[in-house]
Amino acid sequence: MSGRQNARQPLILVPGLTCDAALWAAQVDGLADVAAMTVADTLSDDSITAMARRLLDGAPERFALAGFSMGGYVAMEVMRLAPERVTRLALLDTSAEADDADHAALRRAAVRTARERGFERVLRGSLGLLIHPGADPAIGEQVVAMALRVGIDTFERQQTAIAGRADMLPALAAVTVPALVMVGAEDRTTPPRHARAMAAAIPGAVLCKVPRCGHMAPMEQPQAVNAALREWLAA
């Protein structure tokens, strides 16, 4: 047993906007034989750089790194700050581009609307952008419950962080570790064109498009995500 434990590589999983560790529950369960996983804290800071520094402060010296959506922004910032510490990089349903002024304004408006009309109402109204229409309705309920646990104050901090993030696409050319870029084939929040751009920018990156899947790939299609991550961990 100790040999198997020692063979597991450290893997840090980074959640997205209004997500907690429940986002990665199927990965933590399904990949436990090959990875010693921790879920990064993205709930305490209002900048992507601060989230990345917090991750690095608590991380082992060397680790694999997988980021989903906002967590992808954090993962790319970790690569910018300390590339020598990351052994491999996975980017799921995310984008390397910065917000333009219009997108930043939409984020501020989303926070105002959530405070004025109710956070849960806004969350339920956004499910069509997050989840494939053919997905089990229970997944939508899990997404809403997760966001309500995270809370509206953290939602505001995270939206501030996302709106202020840097354009990371040019920096991806410097990534030299095994890289996986995944996206739900029907992701409406970060459509596949973003994944194609990141995969093209990273030398040797593997691009994986998950069929019948929206934005919440780790929850919507856990078996497909786990299979791709397992292959990436063995690369």
Side-chain angles (χ1 to χ4, degrees):
M1 176 63 74
S2 61
R4 281 187 63 200
Q5 294 293 327
N6 291 339
R8 297 191 307 157
Q9 51 189 304
L11 169 58
I12 299 178
L13 303 166
V14 195
L17 174 69
T18 65
C19 295
D20 59 18
L23 169 81
W24 296 109
Q27 287 68 53
V28 170
D29 180 59
L31 298 172
D33 60 318
V34 291
M37 287 164 280
T38 56
V39 178
D41 175 9
T42 53
L43 306 178
S44 304
D45 301 295
D46 63 0
S47 81
I48 298 298
T49 299
M51 293 177 191
R53 292 192 185 281
R54 183 182 296 275
L55 184 158
L56 286 165
D57 285 347
E61 188 56 34
R62 300 263 290 160
F63 54 91
L65 182 61
F68 165 80
S69 196
M70 181 192 74
Y73 313 149
V74 177
M76 286 182 270
E77 179 67 0
V78 169
M79 288 297 301
R80 186 187 72 82
L81 292 171
E84 72 284 353
R85 294 181 62 184
V86 180
T87 60
R88 59 193 71 231
L89 175 69
L91 301 170
L92 289 75
D93 296 278
T94 190
S95 167
E97 300 172 14
D99 272 2
D100 59 22
D102 289 343
H103 280 92
L106 284 172
R107 294 189 187 282
R108 292 191 292 271
V111 173
R112 287 196 304 272
T113 301
R115 292 206 178 273
E116 292 167 2
R117 300 185 186 176
F119 191 29
E120 183 170 355
R121 182 176 175 183
V122 169
L123 292 168
R124 292 192 179 279
S126 70
L127 286 177
L129 289 173
L130 296 177
I131 296 173
H132 189 279
D136 183 345
I139 295 171
E141 293 304 313
Q142 293 165 14
V143 169
V144 170
M146 179 169 62
L148 290 173
R149 285 195 303 272
V150 168
I152 193 167
D153 291 338
T154 300
F155 174 64
E156 181 168 9
R157 280 195 298 273
Q158 291 179 335
Q159 290 284 34
T160 299
I162 294 168
R165 74 189 188 279
D167 180 1
M168 298 302 294
L169 196 60
L172 293 180
V175 174
T176 58
V177 296
L180 170 68
V181 181
M182 293 189 71
V183 64
E186 287 80 38
D187 187 340
R188 296 176 61 197
T189 301
T190 51
R193 62 180 176 83
H194 294 288
R196 290 194 295 269
M198 291 184 294
I202 300 171
V206 172
L207 176 61
C208 177
K209 199 151 73 167
V210 184
R212 290 189 56 79
C213 187
H215 184 62
M216 304 297 297
M219 298 175 76
E220 290 183 64
Q221 295 288 357
Q223 290 183 327
V225 170
N226 285 4
L229 289 175
R230 184 176 289 273
E231 194 168 323
W232 163 74
L233 287 164

